[in-house]
Amino acid sequence: MKYLVPALAGLALVACQGETTDTAADAPFVPDVSSTNIEAHIRFLASDYMQGRDAGSDGYEIAANYVASQMRLLGLEPAGQDGGYFADVPMQDVTADADYNQFTLDGETFAHGNSVMVSTNPSVLEAEVTGELVFVGYGISAANRGHDDYEGLDVEGKIVVVMGGVPGEVFEGLSEERAHHGSSTTKRNVAAAHGAIGMIGLTSWSDERLAGIVENFGSRPSTRLTVATGPSGYDQVQVSANTSAELSARLFEGAEMSLEEVQAAMEADEPTYPRFELPHTVTMRQRTLSEPFTDPNVVGMIRGTDPELADEYVVLTAHLDHIGHIDDDMRASGACRSSDDEDAICNGAVDNASGVSIMLETARTFLEEGAPRRSVVFVALAAEEKGLLGSEHYARNPTVPADQIVANVNLDMPVIVYDFADVVAFGANHSNLGPIATRAAARLGIAVSEDPLPEQSLFVRSDHYNFVRQGVPSLFLMTGFSSPDPRWDEGEGFMGFLNTHYHTQTDQLDGELEVLFDQGAKFANINYMIAREIADSDELPAWNEDSFFGNLFGQDAE
């Protein structure tokens, strides 16, 4: 109850939007979002009362109620469950049962932490599998690149042995495809599609390093979706594990090639990719300890006015959660880089109170300028920091008809700490949303730049990617790297924030970090114009013919 007073105070801070006029009758409309409103939202959501908005915390619940209250004040239609603004995300904190988990190779048993790390399974909480081994190289099926590690192999009912990473020669210059195929989720799903019952990932870790990783991290809970919404690959590949370098080499004893020979072939100037059966049988068992909980996504909607388009939905998203408090476990894991032992709260002003604030003010501008032709859904997402869980659940279980969602525009950590001169629209090269983003930014004299950090694979690391996986053309907006501010030459700007303040206690207001609310308003203006054109356009959002993700996940994908 003690949080109610500051919550109401936060509501009172939000100012009314001022009226705007065009400088010329024929000039295209440019909105004028209030920087005061942006500031009010950020000040509340990034206050110490939220305690860092961690998933499953009271602070996140307070923040969710704030957003729902703002949606109601604005006049957004409730679009969650049971006629309200909340749509629950069923989650669980999962932990490996170290005393139960084990790995047996040809009759010799290795305990969890002794040369092997057995993974949790959020979908099948206890399982044991026994099978012959098949080495499947990198475990990648990429027909569009002429590379299929499963071609000619029968892995039905067997345990696949997988090398980490991707073949560099195949994916050279293709950072987004590299990230997709290199993820453990994709490799697990591919193994499952071929009928494997287990998966072993080879590592270069020594026995000692693996034991240390299990000791330091293996006993800590991680957050996953519950059984009902978990990835399907877990249901088929029920046990997976990572083996140390020493145990990995033993799996190849007696085979047609040693592990050392395989690695040399894969890393040669003209690489080859051996794949073959291994003359061993392995039994793996896992038990996953689960503590269920729920957090809400917060969902509001503006109903479209066009009778022919109103049942099509443009979804705008921004994650509401952050990482909570600093503790010894977080320091050890690297989840937060502690910068102040006295202040334990990671407030997340930029990440991502700024994105939620901009989304709310985008909704306000829609309402002030008149409802769009298509319906627009606004979702403040839960548990992004835990692995994009709120968006994964919503994209699979939306509160509007899934086949009528035509586009997603996502806001994650607009770094409004410098005067930005460009934006990056991840996904712009994959669909006809790209030209829309370019036109919107140009109205404010802002350029749209290509991905400045391709090695970071940011396209697959934010909430929009879960909509992409459901076949929905999507954009993820980020402030760019150019600025008229001369401090940029001194290391300020995007990388300055990333290297100094990201996931630390200094991502807060009224400290050493200066958050520029006028830049938040500028970013909101661009976001609104993008969303408005998508919602009002005669043209339906569509994937480009050459889009890897469109061909993989789009409606016409096999």
Side-chain angles (χ1 to χ4, degrees), residues 62-110:
I62 296 167
N65 275 282
Y66 174 84
V67 172
S69 297
Q70 288 298 314
M71 288 182 174
R72 186 176 296 279
L73 285 170
L74 288 171
L76 296 186
E77 177 181 328
Q81 298 166 328
D82 302 322
Y85 291 99
F86 289 166
D88 284 340
V89 181
M91 292 179 281
Q92 55 185 327
D93 284 335
V94 297
T95 310
D97 187 340
D99 295 331
Y100 180 85
N101 293 357
Q102 64 182 33
F103 180 103
T104 302
L105 171 63
D106 297 333
E108 181 180 357
T109 296
F110 298 82

Side-chain angles (χ1 to χ4, degrees), residues 477-510:
L477 293 181
M478 185 183 86
T479 45
F481 274 32
S482 60
S483 172
D485 190 334
R487 292 180 302 169
W488 169 246
D489 295 332
E490 300 173 8
E492 295 295 328
F494 188 95
M495 292 307 299
F497 174 85
L498 203 64
N499 294 330
T500 305
H501 305 289
Y502 173 69
H503 280 197
T504 74
Q505 300 97 312
T506 58
D507 182 8
Q508 62 181 344
L509 300 182
D510 303 325

Side-chain angles (χ1 to χ4, degrees), residues 5 312 397 507 553:
V5 172
E312 296 175 354
N397 306 275
D507 182 8
F553 296 122

Side-chain angles (χ1 to χ4, degrees), residues 370-456:
R373 297 174 68 194
R374 291 185 175 90
S375 297
V376 181
V377 180
F378 302 85
V379 190
L381 293 162
E384 184 271 351
E385 301 287 1
K386 303 298 185 182
L388 316 182
L389 301 185
S391 60
E392 181 177 348
H393 181 72
Y394 190 86
R396 291 180 174 181
N397 306 275
T399 56
V400 296
D403 59 355
Q404 294 297 104
I405 296 176
V406 299
N408 168 241
V409 180
N410 183 51
L411 294 163
D412 186 359
M413 203 175 78
V415 181
I416 52 171
V417 300
Y418 60 102
D419 183 1
F420 64 90
D422 68 322
V423 294
V424 179
F426 294 96
N429 57 321
H430 289 288
S431 75
N432 61 359
L433 303 184
I436 293 176
T438 299
R439 285 192 291 271
R443 291 190 195 178
L444 293 178
I446 301 297
V448 175
S449 300
E450 294 185 1
D451 182 357
L453 298 170
E455 70 282 359
Q456 296 287 333

Side-chain angles (χ1 to χ4, degrees), residues 3 12 17 78 87 116 157 172 227 230 240 295 322 336 343 398 403 407 413 475 486 491 503 523 548:
Y3 295 113
Q17 175 77 17
V116 65
E172 184 176 0
V227 174
S240 59
D295 267 345
H322 193 53
C336 184
D343 177 9
D403 59 355
M413 203 175 78
L475 287 178
H503 280 197
F523 199 89
F548 166 71

Side-chain angles (χ1 to χ4, degrees), residues 314-337:
V314 180
V315 178
L316 274 58
T317 51
H319 77 86
L320 179 58
D321 67 306
H322 193 53
I323 60 174
H325 285 82
I326 289 288
D327 57 27
D328 290 340
D329 285 348
M330 291 182 69
R331 288 188 178 94
S333 70
C336 184
R337 298 168 296 161

